[in-house]
Amino acid sequence: MKVSTSKFKIERIIKDHKTKRLNFDLKIQRSADIWDKKRRSKMMHSILKKWPTNSIFAYKESNILSIIDGKQRLTVALAFFNDQFALEKSTPDINGVEVHDKKFSELPDELKEIFLSYEFEMTIVQEASMEEVEELFFRLNGGMPMRQIEKTRALLGGKKLKIVEDVSNTPFFQTKANITKTSKKRYVDQELVFQILAMIHKDETGFSGKEIEKFVLELRNQRIQDELKSKMQNASFYLNQAFVKKTPYLRKVHIPTLFKLVLELQESALLISPSKFEEWANDFFENMPPAYKLATESGSAKKDKVQTRYKEMKNHFYLYFEDTINNKENGSDSQEERDVSDVS
């Protein structure tokens, strides 16, 4: 690994971003726009005051700089330059000049020049493997207030993370699951995929940070089979068919269990039509078993509660379709079974 340092003025960062020589889209990176207005304004105020800021870390390959650490600082500076937000009303004056509630274009020329001439120190890494880049990202953010899912993404790494992204981009996760835009920016949809993968990998698992981290470390050292990705996408497609519209119970605590149940159905070749599955789900969540409900409350990520939810849901499902299952075991091909098994 070769490491060097350099200084980059904001005007150069703007130019390099326009010419696509600056990349913010490393798979391990956080989503953009996670800073609130107060934090963005403080950062811009620091720049206008010429105060020092933390070093930026970047990975250089083929004259492209990919930001490892410092993405938020740079994207916020670019957004301010492009008048995408005004400084918060509580922003202090600078040398007697009011800057609160002002966008970049509304600043005096002197402050504009200070902004464009501000230099970020950048540590540039070259001749490094992607594994080393990912490890560097994880270490740099080790003491920062990162969410568990962000650490998980960094641990897994870019190539395997693409598979998780593909599943989370299927129609079910995008249009039926009750995940807000803000939550998606924080990768809650991908967090659900990790939980589902963990349940498939190890039946008796929980969703605590340590358990998911342990699973991801194992996952990094083994090839994810295309067959697994296909199964995940097929199950997501099935659930998207089953639920015609977004329903209140399609939320984070329930989705991994539903997903695991569908995957088991597909493995066992027990064909239940999407419409029949929705009828069962409506009945289950309208008459939720007490033990299941209790397992969705405080501490729902604990192993015992994850396992209780799946056990209760599975038992309810098989009791609901008991006649269909018996017909299948007896080799019967009744009209009722054909109706239930009619998956379009």
Side-chain angles (χ1 to χ4, degrees):
M1 182 188 294
K2 181 180 176 182
V3 180
S4 61
T5 58
S6 185
K7 291 187 180 294
F8 280 69
K9 291 183 178 180
I10 288 180
E11 60 184 353
R12 178 179 173 181
I13 290 168
I14 294 168
K15 180 180 178 181
D16 286 352
H17 185 248
K18 285 182 178 178
T19 57
K20 298 184 178 180
R21 296 181 63 188
L22 193 62
N23 173 37
F24 295 119
D25 297 325
L26 279 178
K27 295 294 183 186
I28 57 176
Q29 264 291 2
R30 287 173 163 183
S31 178
D33 301 327
I34 66 171
W35 282 11
D36 59 25
K37 188 175 181 179
K38 184 175 182 179
R39 192 172 181 184
R40 287 183 291 170
S41 294
K42 281 187 175 182
M43 181 65 199
M44 295 306 97
H45 185 263
S46 294
I47 289 173
L48 293 170
K49 290 281 287 183
K50 301 182 184 179
W51 288 353
T53 55
N54 292 340
S55 180
I56 306 293
F57 283 76
Y59 168 60
K60 187 175 183 180
E61 185 178 34
S62 302
N63 291 321
I64 303 295
L65 284 171
S66 296
I67 303 303
I68 301 171
D69 186 66
K71 174 181 177 179
Q72 300 301 317
R73 281 165 272 163
L74 297 185
T75 54
V76 166
L78 288 169
F80 184 63
F81 172 75
N82 291 316
D83 279 356
Q84 293 177 11
F85 69 94
L87 299 178
E88 194 187 40
K89 62 182 180 180
S90 62
T91 305
D93 295 351
I94 297 176
N95 300 327
V97 178
E98 290 185 353
V99 294
H100 64 85
D101 296 319
K102 292 186 184 296
K103 294 182 178 180
F104 175 79
S105 63
E106 298 169 331
L107 295 177
D109 290 343
E110 181 183 353
L111 289 181
K112 288 180 182 177
E113 181 58 31
I114 290 174
F115 179 84
L116 292 172
S117 300
Y118 184 86
E119 292 182 325
F120 283 106
E121 184 178 90
M122 190 175 294
T123 301
I124 300 172
V125 177
Q126 300 181 73
E127 300 175 12
S129 67
M130 190 50 62
E131 286 76 17
E132 288 175 314
V133 172
E134 290 163 359
E135 180 65 19
L136 178 58
F137 172 85
F138 187 65
R139 292 190 183 195
L140 285 170
N141 286 280
M144 301 297 287
M146 292 180 70
R147 297 181 66 248
Q148 183 61 45
I149 181 58
E150 292 167 337
K151 294 179 182 179
T152 302
R153 283 167 52 84
L155 275 175
L156 183 58
K159 189 174 181 180
K160 290 183 174 64
L161 187 58
K162 179 67 164 59
I163 296 176
V164 175
E165 289 178 333
D166 287 345
V167 174
S168 67
N169 285 329
T170 54
F172 172 76
F173 284 99
Q174 292 297 311
T175 64
K176 304 298 173 64
N178 278 297
I179 305 172
T180 65
K181 289 183 179 180
T182 299
S183 294
K184 286 178 181 178
K185 285 182 179 180
R186 295 181 177 274
Y187 307 116
V188 171
D189 48 351
Q190 293 182 28
E191 187 174 20
L192 290 174
V193 176
F194 279 117
Q195 291 176 351
I196 296 162
L197 285 170
M199 288 186 77
I200 298 169
H201 178 71
K202 184 180 180 181
D203 287 336
E204 295 187 2
T205 188
F207 297 151
S208 69
K210 287 185 178 179
E211 286 169 305
I212 295 297
E213 190 171 304
K214 182 180 178 181
F215 159 66
V216 170
L217 287 172
E218 294 177 15
L219 199 58
R220 286 194 67 172
N221 297 322
Q222 69 179 50
R223 177 174 169 268
I224 297 181
Q225 300 292 329
D226 289 339
E227 179 183 0
L228 178 59
K229 176 182 174 182
S230 177
K231 287 178 180 178
M232 292 284 289
Q233 290 178 322
N234 287 341
S236 181
F237 178 74
Y238 176 91
L239 287 168
N240 190 57
Q241 282 189 310
F243 300 103
V244 180
K245 60 182 180 180
K246 185 178 291 188
T247 58
Y249 54 74
L250 290 178
R251 51 194 183 89
K252 183 180 176 182
V253 70
H254 303 309
I255 288 175
T257 323
L258 284 167
F259 225 103
K260 169 70 172 173
L261 180 60
V262 169
L263 285 168
E264 182 172 313
L265 297 182
Q266 293 177 341
E267 289 285 345
S268 65
L270 178 60
L271 299 179
I272 304 296
S273 72
S275 61
K276 292 293 184 182
F277 188 91
E278 183 187 33
E279 288 179 10
W280 161 77
N282 289 335
D283 182 77
F284 177 80
F285 287 107
E286 286 173 7
N287 304 283
M288 201 180 299
Y292 182 95
K293 185 176 181 180
L294 185 63
T296 66
E297 297 172 358
S298 179
S300 62
K302 292 180 179 179
K303 181 191 294 187
D304 61 330
K305 295 201 172 184
V306 172
Q307 296 307 310
T308 295
R309 290 200 299 276
Y310 185 63
K311 178 183 176 182
E312 291 294 319
M313 180 179 284
K314 181 178 176 180
N315 287 344
H316 187 283
F317 180 89
Y318 279 92
L319 283 173
Y320 188 91
F321 289 107
E322 186 175 13
D323 290 342
T324 300
I325 295 168
N326 289 337
N327 286 336
K328 181 179 182 298
E329 290 175 349
N330 294 330
S332 172
D333 189 25
S334 67
Q335 181 63 45
E336 179 183 2
E337 182 179 3
R338 289 195 297 272
D339 289 342
V340 172
S341 305
D342 182 19
V343 180
S344 56

